[in-house]
Amino acid sequence: MNRKWIAAPLLAGLLLAGCGEAEEPEESNPETTTTGETETNETAETTEDFEVAFDGRMDHVHGMGYIENEEGLYFASHHGLKIYRDGKWLETSDHLHDYMGFNAVDDGFYTSGHPGPGSMMQNPIGIQRSKDGGRSLNHMGFEGETDFHGMAAGYRSHHLFVMNPQENSQMGPGYFRSEDEGENWQQVSGTGLEGEVSSFAMHPSDSQLIAAATTEGIFLSKDGGESFTRLTEDGIYGTAVFFNEEALYYATYGTQAELIQYTWEKDEEQAFELPDMPEDGILYIAQNPLDTDEIAFYTAAGHAFISEDGGGAWKQILNAGQVEE
């Protein structure tokens, strides 16, 4: 296994996924915001006000996914949301938070992270929920307590799975799940999960299926996170996981980057042919629920590619952080 490569761009990319702890967030108001309230004071009135053209760079991407009711591919960056829609790039003009643990769902997203400039939220922001593409945020708890880097959400079930790094007001360290929008949390053991976790994914509608990418490979749970089984061989580095209804998509790095479609019911794998990616690996994977032939991925070197034919051909839409059209 090419550990020299992992110590360069991929490991750097994974570490940047935790940049909120390594860098000081921009100054924010420490005043407490009540759980369940909406930041209406920061909400743009129209889409035209909130979404504006973007032709710059984005750094420190911490998540990526299609939001069905917004019909766009969303990137969670160090400075708010960037959007790729209909071949054009947009960015949000408000809520420029350092989104982490970002999970797109059918009607919005769940996220954690750190507050952006001018925000009234505490640092860290705990778990936040948006149902309008980020124009407003609902506070679900843990503000001022926990930044959940490891978090998964069911795209349609909206069930949650988190890795809690340290004790807070509701949880001890470990793995927890919620099936009621974070009102109650149940601890699960995570038996069999090995290595440092880079990402989790939950099946869109069956929250018993949870996958993890770690430094020891790709792991799958069929019992809601109580136990995990490794799918990959020794010496394979797991870098990304994503579920659709029928299959698990996962990315690895051994001697080169690979993207695999795994069907658990048949225990079958199919590898995708990837564009030229020397010493680079995939950090995030997404599929458009409105057009399943449209697949996208984001890499440790800051590249993003999109395919409109199920992975047959790839178009680069992000080059080392710089947007391309």
Side-chain angles (χ1 to χ4, degrees):
M1 181 168 158
N2 191 342
R3 290 286 179 181
K4 181 179 179 182
W5 174 79
I6 287 176
L10 177 60
L11 185 54
L14 294 175
L15 290 175
L16 285 175
C19 70
E21 294 182 353
E23 302 178 16
E24 287 294 325
E26 300 197 43
E27 184 175 352
S28 60
N29 192 318
E31 183 177 327
T32 301
T33 308
T34 303
T35 301
E37 290 184 355
T38 302
E39 285 195 301
T40 52
N41 61 313
E42 297 183 25
T43 303
E45 293 183 359
T46 66
T47 297
E48 289 74 18
D49 292 332
F50 185 67
E51 297 181 357
V52 297
F54 177 58
D55 61 359
R57 290 178 53 85
M58 75 173 84
D59 296 311
H60 305 182
V61 171
H62 308 139
M64 179 188 75
Y66 288 90
I67 299 178
E68 188 173 79
N69 68 349
E70 299 288 337
E71 299 185 3
L73 176 60
Y74 282 68
F75 293 77
S77 81
H78 191 56
H79 297 287
L81 298 172
K82 316 301 181 187
I83 308 161
Y84 185 76
R85 182 187 293 123
D86 297 328
K88 302 294 183 182
W89 279 100
L90 302 165
E91 65 178 339
T92 61
S93 60
D94 206 345
H95 292 325
L96 303 182
H97 306 306
D98 180 12
Y99 290 114
M100 309 185 79
F102 177 88
N103 280 262
V105 294
D106 54 356
D107 66 350
F109 63 84
Y110 295 84
T111 191
S112 193
H114 303 274
S119 173
M120 298 296 290
M121 290 189 290
Q122 289 184 298
N123 184 23
I125 65 175
I127 300 178
Q128 302 289 325
R129 169 78 158 105
S130 178
K131 296 184 179 181
D132 52 13
R135 297 167 185 81
S136 62
L137 297 172
N138 295 328
H139 311 294
M140 297 179 61
F142 308 105
E143 280 189 70
E145 293 188 301
T146 305
D147 177 14
F148 294 97
H149 293 186
M151 181 164 65
Y155 194 83
R156 302 201 183 279
S157 70
H158 301 170
H159 294 176
L160 300 174
F161 180 87
V162 300
M163 179 175 64
N164 186 39
Q166 60 189 21
E167 186 172 0
N168 57 39
S169 59
Q170 297 186 49
M171 307 171 178
Y175 305 105
F176 291 80
R177 54 182 290 122
S178 174
E179 298 184 359
D180 56 7
E181 292 282 331
E183 289 292 328
N184 296 283
W185 294 92
Q186 173 190 359
Q187 187 165 16
V188 292
S189 62
T191 302
L193 189 57
E194 301 174 0
E196 296 181 25
V197 178
S198 56
S199 63
F200 289 107
M202 179 182 284
H203 187 273
S205 54
D206 182 359
S207 63
Q208 293 300 297
L209 292 168
I210 298 170
T214 87
T215 52
E216 296 298 327
I218 301 296
F219 294 80
L220 176 65
S221 173
K222 296 182 179 180
D223 56 10
E226 287 290 351
S227 63
F228 286 82
T229 301
R230 182 161 53 189
L231 300 180
T232 50
E233 299 177 354
D234 291 343
I236 297 296
Y237 195 100
T239 63
V241 282
F242 169 83
F243 277 104
N244 65 14
E245 291 287 347
E246 292 80 27
L248 169 67
Y249 291 70
Y250 67 79
T252 62
Y253 195 93
T255 58
Q256 63 182 3
E258 290 191 309
L259 176 59
I260 306 294
Q261 177 182 300
Y262 172 70
T263 307
W264 58 89
E265 291 184 350
K266 297 181 180 180
D267 193 28
E268 294 180 350
E269 294 184 353
Q270 178 181 345
F272 289 84
E273 185 174 346
L274 297 176
D276 187 29
M277 294 169 48
E279 297 189 345
D280 195 8
I282 296 171
L283 297 184
Y284 301 107
I285 308 163
Q287 183 182 48
N288 187 347
L290 299 175
D291 179 3
T292 55
D293 283 335
E294 186 173 309
I295 303 171
F297 65 82
Y298 174 85
T299 80
H303 306 316
F305 294 85
I306 192 166
S307 172
E308 296 180 348
D309 60 1
W314 298 94
K315 173 186 176 182
Q316 189 165 10
I317 59 173
L318 194 65
N319 187 355
Q322 178 66 43
V323 302
E324 296 190 347
E325 296 186 5

